[in-house]
Amino acid sequence: MAKISIIGSSSMDLVVTSSKRPGAGETVLGESFKTVPGGKGANQAVAAARLGADVTMIGRVGDDHFGQQILRNFEENHVHISHVKPVTHMESGTAHIVLAEGDNSIVVVKAANNEVTPAYVEEALDVIRSSDMVLVQQEIPAETVIYVSEMCAKYHIPFLLNPAPAREVEASVIENATYITPNEHEAAIMFKDMSLQEALRKYPNKLFVTEGSNGVRFFDGEQEVVVPTYKVEAVDTTGAGDTFNAAFAVALAEGKSLADSVKFANRAASLSVTKFGAQGGMPTRREVEEQL
């Protein structure tokens, strides 16, 4: 069983479905409203646990009703939460999601996730040092991402950076990362002074660019490789990227090859979009292996 530490955000997703996406200044009628646990870190923790990993979540929630629901959801999905502590002076993070026209638009309010500081993460250093893989995203402070990258480099712990949501990333973080998984938009921001092809060649077997339905692209040291995705009818694409990253981390931590790890992650992500909710469609290990 791979031991994975996930350092990142936890939130409550407030999800509206509509047949039409509102434009600026426009009001449209929605079809449904639901609240479901989310946040990139939490999504990846739940996905990795469902895929059979031993997962510890390192994050913060508010001392409120949403925070209680988030913690309960972790427990129900067998994620260790000894390092998910409530903060009393700030509400839990929220994501406000509109599902319309086959895709999603999201506004994130980080709130308690801003309290995932380097000092807070340091309290979990023993857990981090015993991990087979550390997975981090960017809904927490940038200085925390830098700190984690330094700790992983110092103790030779494999470190997977999912640079989402998009923002510039310190050069030291890129160098310290073992694997980086931006989508095309995020890659353009991270490597704004070079083409995608140049970036891939600069970081062989390290930079994996997800291209939606076109698959995942990386450079294996000799040539560009595109691992195709699986064609499915999408119900809700929220959380597909989080499922991919969790599955990629699990497969790598278990010692699978890069190509097989991407294939495993693509299969998991394709299954995740066939049901509602960021976490609602995240598959179990058996479901993924039955489809491979």
Side-chain angles (χ1 to χ4, degrees):
M1 182 180 287
K3 191 170 184 179
I4 296 179
S5 291
I6 295 181
I7 304 166
S9 59
S10 305
S11 69
M12 187 60 67
D13 289 355
L14 313 178
V15 187
V16 172
T17 59
S18 174
S19 61
K20 181 183 178 183
R21 191 179 313 280
E26 181 182 12
T27 299
V28 301
L29 293 177
E31 297 169 352
S32 67
F33 170 75
K34 294 183 180 180
T35 59
V36 290
K40 286 189 172 299
N43 289 345
Q44 293 176 13
V46 168
R50 289 185 186 172
L51 292 168
D54 180 12
V55 179
T56 296
M57 179 69 192
I58 301 166
R60 306 301 299 265
V61 294
D63 187 16
D64 53 21
H65 180 62
F66 283 162
Q68 294 169 9
Q69 287 181 291
I70 292 166
L71 292 175
R72 186 160 55 248
N73 182 65
F74 279 138
E75 292 177 330
E76 290 172 353
N77 284 280
H78 309 292
V79 174
H80 303 303
I81 58 170
S82 58
H83 291 284
V84 185
K85 299 177 182 178
V87 293
T88 58
H89 61 283
M90 200 174 291
E91 68 277 5
S92 294
T94 52
H96 305 257
I97 302 170
V98 176
L99 301 177
E101 300 165 348
D103 212 335
N104 61 63
S105 300
I106 307 175
V107 177
V108 171
V109 181
K110 293 196 290 185
N113 294 304
N114 281 322
E115 297 300 303
V116 185
T117 62
Y120 178 77
V121 171
E122 188 174 10
E123 296 175 13
L125 189 55
D126 286 348
V127 172
I128 294 169
R129 289 184 64 178
S130 66
S131 300
D132 298 311
M133 181 71 67
V134 171
L135 176 54
V136 177
Q137 328 74 35
Q138 298 196 133
E139 288 178 343
I140 58 175
E143 58 266 26
T144 305
V145 177
I146 295 170
Y147 171 79
V148 173
S149 77
E150 292 171 347
M151 289 303 99
C152 288
K154 179 178 179 180
Y155 296 111
H156 307 291
I157 306 162
F159 170 52
L160 195 163
L161 173 66
N162 173 217
R167 71 181 181 212
E168 290 189 18
V169 178
E170 289 286 335
S172 64
V173 175
I174 295 173
E175 294 305 319
N176 287 333
T178 315
Y179 309 101
I180 309 172
T181 56
N183 62 24
E184 293 169 281
H185 173 61
E186 292 152 1
I189 291 175
M190 289 182 68
F191 306 106
K192 58 185 178 182
D193 295 327
M194 63 183 82
S195 68
L196 176 58
Q197 286 67 34
E198 290 170 337
L200 289 168
R201 280 161 174 74
K202 184 174 181 179
Y203 299 105
N205 296 319
K206 176 174 185 169
L207 178 60
F208 296 80
V209 180
T210 59
E211 300 180 344
S213 61
N214 292 325
V216 177
R217 186 181 303 272
F218 70 101
F219 185 70
D220 69 0
E222 296 181 355
Q223 62 183 351
E224 278 191 23
V225 178
V226 177
V227 182
T229 189
Y230 295 82
K231 305 301 180 184
V232 296
E233 187 167 339
V235 172
D236 180 2
T237 59
T238 311
D242 295 329
T243 304
F244 173 88
N245 278 277
F248 191 43
V250 170
L252 290 168
E254 291 178 350
K256 287 183 171 59
S257 70
L258 291 176
D260 284 346
S261 295
V262 175
K263 184 178 179 182
F264 180 82
N266 278 347
R267 180 76 273 188
S270 72
L271 291 172
S272 76
V273 305
T274 61
K275 297 178 183 177
F276 176 82
Q279 297 178 14
M282 289 176 170
T284 64
R285 181 63 172 251
R286 176 179 294 180
E287 288 172 329
V288 175
E289 290 182 340
E290 285 176 350
Q291 296 293 326
L292 281 173

